[in-house]
Amino acid sequence: MSCWHFNELTPSDKTREAMQGEFFATEAIRNAAEALVREAIQNSLDAGLKNNAGHAIETVRVRFHLATGPSAAKAADCAEFFDGAWPHFLADGNGLNNKPTKSEQCSFLVVEDFGTSGLVGDVEQWADEPGVKNAFYYFFRAEGRTGKGEEDRGRWGVGKYVFPRSSRAKSFFGFTIRGTDQKRLLMGQSILRTHKCGTKHYKPDGGFGDARNDGLLLPTQDDSIIERFRAVFSVSRRDEPGLSIVIPWIDTEEITRTALLEAVVRGYFYPILDGKLAVTMSEGGMETVIDADTLTDVVNTLGDEVSRKLVPLIELAVWASERKPAEFLKLNLASDRPNWSAPDIIPPDAVPVIQSALERGERVAIQAPVKIRARGKPDQTSFFEVFFVRDGTDDDRTTFIREGIIISDVRARRARGIRSLVIVDDRGLATLLGDSENPAHTEWQSKSSNFQGKYTNGPSYLKYVTDCVKAIDDILSSHQREEDTTLLKDFFSLPAPPDPNATKTRQKKKKKPKGPVTPDPEPLPEPRKKRYRLEKVAGGFRVCTGDPDAEVPALIEIRTAYDVRRGNALKKYDPADFDLADKEFKITGRGVEVTEGGENRMLVKILVRDFELSVTGFDEKRDVLVNINVKEAEDAAQV
């Protein structure tokens, strides 16, 4: 008969407390719900059905079902599934801080995946066999070891510990149907501390299943037991391959429907948008589907704070997911010691293109190739993608995504006012970064045991990817400082009063040079004729016709900002300073048409030679910077 089994402690065994759950108690993971969602979905994506090239052949679907209150399982209905466990659950010193009781209802969480392969492999394997892939063995019988390869998202073999960590009984059940042989298997696992029941001492690990004569615990394949289990714990899986996890006595303080929903959209919005993942969340009679079509609507139900931060990022991610290869600006290949200070890492002809797009508030897509040198392997060219927009955001922390997982605690330098997304999906670089991650997949660590010594100049890649957004912004800024020598030529300010203490200096009379007189130099070329004039008026500025015989511009772009003590005033413009679309601004003129106007930018089409445009409404106590960029006829024709 299937029941729970715990093995007695022997004199040669260590007293042990399982600490694997502490890998997920990091500041970067907000709560138990986030830890559980991150690891559960990651495991499901890794188990997704793939073609021979390793690409997913269908969307992975994950179902979370929370049963609390009236929906919880009655104690009598679930009693058979805890037969043999109660002496251990109630033992002193077993590590359970809020022990369940035999008479209480069992609140539980179901986590199921579909479009996956299930726990395939020999259920009788009890020791690690190099080269043998056995998902069942690694899930139920291995600790700190994994059968996952470089193509998978996980690395450490401890992710499954989020399931018992979320249970008041530190226990869970796994029901799987395997795609290889359609077998239906049910097994349970409990991870306590070394503990004592009566006069006997027991090891921490226990399991639900059928014990063989030699002590090996095997999963039950009894259809009647499995069907009762499905009914009691609301398992939806019937004959579809995949894995269903049931976590009894769920921690209802941290694991709520709202917390689970927020964890899904925060952690996996990109694979959802990309069509690789869809999630269903249900509790009682309420069901929410989170897919590419509903994602933004779901985010908006989670409150203003979540919506304010995530919706603009999701919009950037949607745009990123739609980019075609030809739409990326490609950087030059970085060496096997990548460094942003390398000359011309951004092709010179790409710099003005990126600058112009950012100044117009447009999004930019960049592909950054790198050459990877892993020890003992041939060199490999890989790449990552950077998407950003200068939208004045105060949430300018870059979001890093490695194969669909948000690496939430990467300590990157911030580029002020830039919203950015860095995506690493290409196998070579994704493998390198995955090797450097901590067990919770929140950081890239150069001293990780999976990473050290594996790559030539390995830490350089981590820094290159981590610093990319700020480094690109710095390079663009340096080019602007070098090339735009007229940016401040139209800077309006009140003249400084004369200094009464200033002393006059007497001009010395120049002496006539001795020797032959050198001829006068060639006359300087005539100054360039002004195509427009910019004048200061009370509370603003005026733009009008330039020199009489100068060519009149077809279109001018005007950008303004209040001056700042340090840095580029236009870059530091804040919409809170002013908005040209506000009613306090008066825009008048003749022979002009304002085709765009708002915040600190105007686009003005010039219709006649004798034109004039006046803009007033600025704070007269502050200095105003006005920058005018002349556009040509072909640009005007498109407006």
Side-chain angles (χ1 to χ4, degrees), residues 168-229:
R168 288 167 51 206
K170 295 292 186 286
S171 305
F172 71 95
F173 295 92
F175 165 52
T176 187
I177 298 178
R178 293 131 63 96
T180 51
D181 54 18
Q182 298 302 307
K183 284 186 178 179
R184 293 152 52 94
L185 310 173
L186 174 64
M187 196 162 172
Q189 191 169 71
S190 183
I191 305 173
L192 309 176
R193 289 179 179 173
T194 302
H195 57 281
K196 185 178 182 181
C197 295
T199 60
K200 295 180 179 179
H201 295 269
Y202 288 88
K203 297 178 181 180
D205 303 300
F208 175 85
D210 301 329
R212 209 167 62 177
N213 291 336
D214 61 359
L216 180 65
L217 189 66
L218 297 174
T220 182
Q221 300 185 50
D222 188 318
D223 276 339
S224 61
I225 294 175
I226 290 173
E227 286 306 305
R228 290 197 297 274
F229 177 84

Side-chain angles (χ1 to χ4, degrees), residues 351-589:
V351 171
V353 176
I354 301 173
Q355 286 176 331
S356 179
L358 290 177
E359 288 173 359
R360 293 193 301 269
E362 296 175 357
R363 298 170 177 133
V364 176
I366 289 177
Q367 187 181 97
V370 293
K371 182 171 69 176
I372 295 174
R373 182 167 292 171
R375 299 188 188 279
K377 295 184 178 180
D379 291 354
Q380 182 178 7
T381 299
S382 187
F383 66 89
F384 62 100
E385 296 168 341
V386 188
F387 305 92
F388 54 93
V389 59
R390 181 174 282 123
D391 61 2
T393 178
D394 57 358
D395 186 17
D396 50 16
R397 182 173 179 175
T398 302
T399 299
F400 294 88
I401 303 177
R402 196 266 301 170
E403 296 176 294
I405 304 173
I406 290 182
I407 313 303
S408 54
D409 201 25
V410 176
R411 306 299 172 90
R413 295 190 301 144
R414 299 188 182 193
R416 183 174 176 178
I418 291 181
R419 193 182 307 277
S420 54
L421 192 62
V422 174
I423 297 175
V424 188
D425 275 337
D426 191 66
R427 177 64 51 80
L429 185 59
T431 297
L432 181 149
L433 294 174
D435 286 341
S436 76
E437 285 167 19
N438 60 338
H441 305 288
T442 60
E443 295 179 289
W444 292 325
Q445 302 173 335
S446 62
K447 298 188 183 302
S448 165
S449 60
N450 285 341
F451 184 74
Q452 276 190 312
K454 193 170 183 179
Y455 299 91
T456 302
N457 304 319
S460 298
Y461 295 95
L462 307 188
K463 185 172 178 56
Y464 191 69
V465 176
T466 299
D467 287 349
C468 63
V469 174
K470 176 61 173 168
I472 292 171
D473 188 47
D474 286 347
I475 292 170
L476 296 176
S477 298
S478 67
H479 276 264
Q480 193 168 32
R481 286 193 296 270
E482 292 168 6
E483 297 170 5
D484 195 353
T485 59
T486 64
L487 182 61
L488 299 179
K489 67 179 171 60
D490 299 321
F491 174 61
F492 294 137
S493 62
L494 297 175
D499 184 354
N501 298 319
T503 57
K504 295 183 179 180
T505 59
R506 296 173 64 185
Q507 279 190 330
K508 292 184 178 180
K509 191 175 180 180
K510 292 184 179 179
K511 294 182 179 179
K512 290 184 178 181
K514 295 180 179 180
V517 178
T518 56
D520 290 335
E522 292 292 329
L524 294 173
E526 292 185 9
R528 181 177 297 178
K529 294 172 182 176
K530 292 184 178 180
R531 302 177 68 181
Y532 64 87
R533 292 190 185 279
L534 178 63
E535 301 170 353
K536 181 179 180 180
V537 298
F541 61 89
R542 174 176 173 264
V543 186
C544 59
T545 307
D547 292 338
D549 52 352
E551 182 183 359
V552 177
L555 190 72
I556 57 173
E557 180 188 42
I558 302 174
R559 296 176 64 231
T560 65
Y562 288 130
D563 186 34
V564 292
R565 288 183 176 273
R566 184 173 298 175
N568 187 313
L570 291 176
K571 286 188 175 184
K572 295 188 176 182
Y573 162 77
D574 189 324
D577 291 338
F578 64 84
D579 188 332
L580 294 174
D582 290 345
K583 59 183 180 181
E584 63 261 28
F585 280 91
K586 186 177 181 181
I587 302 174
T588 59

Side-chain angles (χ1 to χ4, degrees), residues 265 294-303 306-308 310-311 314:
V265 298
T294 65
L295 178 62
T296 301
D297 292 337
V298 172
V299 170
N300 286 329
T301 68
L302 297 174
V306 176
S307 177
R308 181 177 61 84
L310 279 184
V311 169
I314 288 171

Side-chain angles (χ1 to χ4, degrees), residues 31-34 36 65-73 98-100 104-110 162-170 247-260 282-283:
N31 50 45
E34 184 170 321
L36 191 151
H65 174 69
L66 188 61
T68 61
S71 302
N98 184 15
K99 298 174 183 177
E104 72 174 280
Q105 288 187 321
C106 180
S107 296
F108 61 88
L109 176 70
V110 183
V162 298
F163 302 128
R165 181 176 181 264
S166 305
S167 165
R168 288 167 51 206
K170 295 292 186 286
I247 305 171
W249 294 290
I250 194 74
D251 178 3
T252 54
E253 290 186 7
E254 287 202 9
I255 299 178
T256 64
R257 177 180 177 275
T258 299
L260 291 169
S282 64
E283 181 181 22

